[in-house]
């Protein structure tokens, strides 16, 4: 496993890849778990070269304090990456990605950028688009591996790839869940035992929405009500939104359509959790 920590070495290495076959890239903010592991395993299995990045992106946090509080454990991350036989790990320093003179940002617009996560944190949208653009230029991957868990991030990157004609293929893998249904997340470990016990209710609410749709419910307001009622059963969960929308544009639906994303966010103490399920053409559920 080769560790690269400077943009210059990354660029040099990426140039050498031109002859080496398909390059699969897994961007992460570290504190790796089984969700990341599934992306890394797929990159390793499907590409000649696999590369993961560990970079906590300060641009996508609402405050410097939040950025500092993000969990980090480099030793554990390197151990997991070496177990999965990743070829290259890119661990840039913040000041190398964003030097003092840095002044060019990628700023998505429209409902995708302004609704849900974008309404709560415009920094998240612009920060994600900007760092991905930089990482794609530095690493020059053929395939980028992303998890379904971050549905809005996927849509933002998909739009970015289209709009800026970036020559990469996006490979989206299912959300990896713990046995009780809670999606793996780097911040889960910050939950108290009582909060942790209530956290799977997010997934239960999504499943209740799915069950109602399968029983023929088509009314968006009623579906949202069903899911809100589920969340309300757990007093520690503070629901921020539950949205039924187009998975590409994030425009809210008036009625159910063939491709539908059901996504929600809730605060649990100081931890913010997001989750979603996706219904695609042919009544195929991605949960
Ligand atoms: P992060 O380190 O949180 O920025 O996530 C890096 C990548 O891992 C993103 O593409 C996420 O969507 C993906 N990811 C995070 N949690 C999960 C999960 N539970 N299942 C699948 N992918 C995940």
């Amino acid at each position: 496993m080769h560790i690269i920590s400077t943009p210059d070495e990354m660029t040099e290495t990426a140039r050498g890849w031109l002859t080496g076959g398909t390059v699969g890239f897994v961007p992460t903010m570290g504190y790796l778990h089984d969700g990341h592991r599934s992306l890394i395993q797929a990159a390793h299995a499907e590409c000649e070269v696999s590369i993961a990045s560990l970079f906590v992106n300060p641009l996508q946090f609402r405050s410097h304090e939040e950025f500092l509080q993000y969990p980090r454990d480099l030793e554990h991350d390197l151990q997991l990456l070496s177990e999965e036989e990743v070829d290259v790990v890119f661990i840039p320093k913040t000041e190398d990605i964003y030097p003092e003179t840095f002044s060019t940002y990628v700023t998505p617009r429209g409902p995708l950028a302004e609704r849900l996560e974008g309404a709560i944190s415009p920094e998240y949208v612009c920060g994600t688009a900007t760092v991905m653009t930089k990482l794609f230029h530095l690493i020059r991957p053929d395939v980028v591996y992303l998890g379904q868990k971050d549905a809005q991030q996927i849509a933002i990157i998909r739009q970015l790839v289209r709009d800026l004609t970036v020559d990469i293929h996006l490979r989206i893998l299912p959300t990896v869940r713990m046995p009780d249904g809670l999606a793996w997340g780097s911040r889960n470990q910050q939950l108290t035992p009582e909060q942790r016990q209530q956290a799977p209710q997010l997934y239960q609410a999504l499943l209740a929405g799915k069950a109602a749709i399968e029983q023929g419910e088509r009314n968006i307001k009623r579906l949202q009500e069903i899911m809100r009622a589920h969340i309300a059963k757990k007093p520690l969960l503070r629901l921020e939104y539950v949205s039924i929308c187009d998975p590409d544009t994030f425009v809210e639906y008036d009625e159910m359509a063939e491709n539908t994303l059901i996504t929600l966010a809730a605060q649990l103490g100081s931890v913010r959790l997001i989750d979603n399920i996706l219904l695609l053409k042919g009544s195929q559920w991605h949960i």
Side-chain angles (χ1 to χ4, degrees):
M1 186 169 82
H2 183 53
I3 297 176
I4 296 180
S5 50
T6 67
D8 283 351
E9 195 194 343
M10 190 64 253
T11 302
E12 277 308 304
T13 310
R15 286 207 176 106
W17 282 340
L18 287 175
T19 50
T22 320
V23 176
F25 170 44
V26 182
T28 85
M29 297 216 294
Y31 214 68
L32 302 180
H33 50 66
D34 280 5
H36 299 113
R37 196 190 284 273
S38 79
L39 302 179
I40 291 158
Q41 284 174 342
H44 184 63
E46 296 169 2
C47 302
E48 270 81 25
V49 180
S50 59
I51 168 157
S53 64
L54 302 173
F55 181 65
V56 183
N57 176 29
L59 272 196
Q60 70 188 69
F61 288 86
R62 280 180 290 187
S63 70
H64 189 60
E65 203 189 2
E66 253 184 40
F67 163 68
L68 293 178
Q69 278 166 2
Y70 196 81
R72 292 159 170 89
D73 187 345
L74 184 57
E75 204 179 314
H76 159 85
D77 291 349
L78 292 176
Q79 172 69 31
L80 187 149
L81 292 167
S82 115
E83 273 164 32
E84 297 304 336
E85 299 176 11
V86 162
D87 297 304
V88 178
V89 187
F90 181 43
I91 317 176
K93 291 197 184 66
T94 309
E95 59 270 28
D96 285 340
I97 295 294
Y98 303 118
E100 256 177 47
T101 51
F102 186 85
S103 54
T104 305
Y105 297 84
V106 179
T107 311
R109 300 240 188 270
L112 178 53
E114 286 150 19
R115 290 197 63 238
L116 310 182
E117 294 304 302
I120 287 155
S121 168
E123 296 84 359
Y124 172 75
V125 175
C126 175
T128 298
T130 303
V131 78
M132 287 297 169
T133 305
K134 284 208 69 148
L135 290 172
F136 294 166
H137 281 124
L138 281 165
I139 292 167
R140 306 185 189 190
D142 298 291
V143 187
V144 174
Y145 289 80
L146 302 169
Q148 178 55 44
K149 168 156 176 251
D150 295 86
Q152 200 159 355
Q153 183 177 71
I154 292 169
I156 290 163
I157 297 172
R158 196 184 279 134
Q159 190 65 40
L160 177 143
V161 165
R162 271 193 219 121
D163 288 346
L164 303 184
T165 45
V166 185
D167 184 20
I168 57 172
H169 173 71
L170 298 182
R171 179 106 159 74
I172 313 301
L173 292 186
T175 301
V176 179
R177 301 180 178 281
M178 301 181 97
D180 62 7
L182 176 64
W184 279 93
S186 298
R187 291 182 178 102
N188 290 1
Q189 287 196 10
Q190 294 172 342
L191 296 168
T192 65
E194 200 187 354
Q195 290 165 351
R196 174 64 190 81
Q197 202 241 328
Q198 299 198 5
Q201 193 72 0
L202 253 61
Y203 182 54
Q204 292 306 322
L206 291 169
L207 291 183
K210 172 176 179 281
I213 291 167
E214 284 170 340
Q215 283 156 23
E217 184 59 81
R218 287 284 172 273
N219 184 289
I220 299 292
K221 296 247 159 353
R222 275 201 293 275
L223 286 167
Q224 284 173 323
E225 260 328 298
I226 289 167
M227 290 186 277
R228 274 199 201 105
H230 251 74
I231 299 284
K233 285 184 198 165
K234 300 289 177 190
L236 297 181
L237 277 171
R238 274 185 292 117
L239 185 68
E240 283 182 354
Y241 61 73
V242 50
S243 176
I244 300 176
C245 62
D246 181 307
D248 281 324
T249 63
F250 272 63
V251 172
E252 183 91 8
Y253 283 145
D254 294 325
E255 56 185 63
M256 283 294 297
E258 262 196 333
N259 291 331
T260 300
L261 178 76
I262 308 180
T263 179
L264 48 73
Q267 195 79 31
L268 195 47
S270 63
V271 180
R272 198 165 170 273
L273 298 173
I274 56 171
D275 203 347
N276 70 80
I277 58 174
L278 181 64
L279 175 63
L280 293 181
K281 253 187 203 150
S283 302
Q284 265 185 40
W285 283 97
H286 295 247
I287 58 172

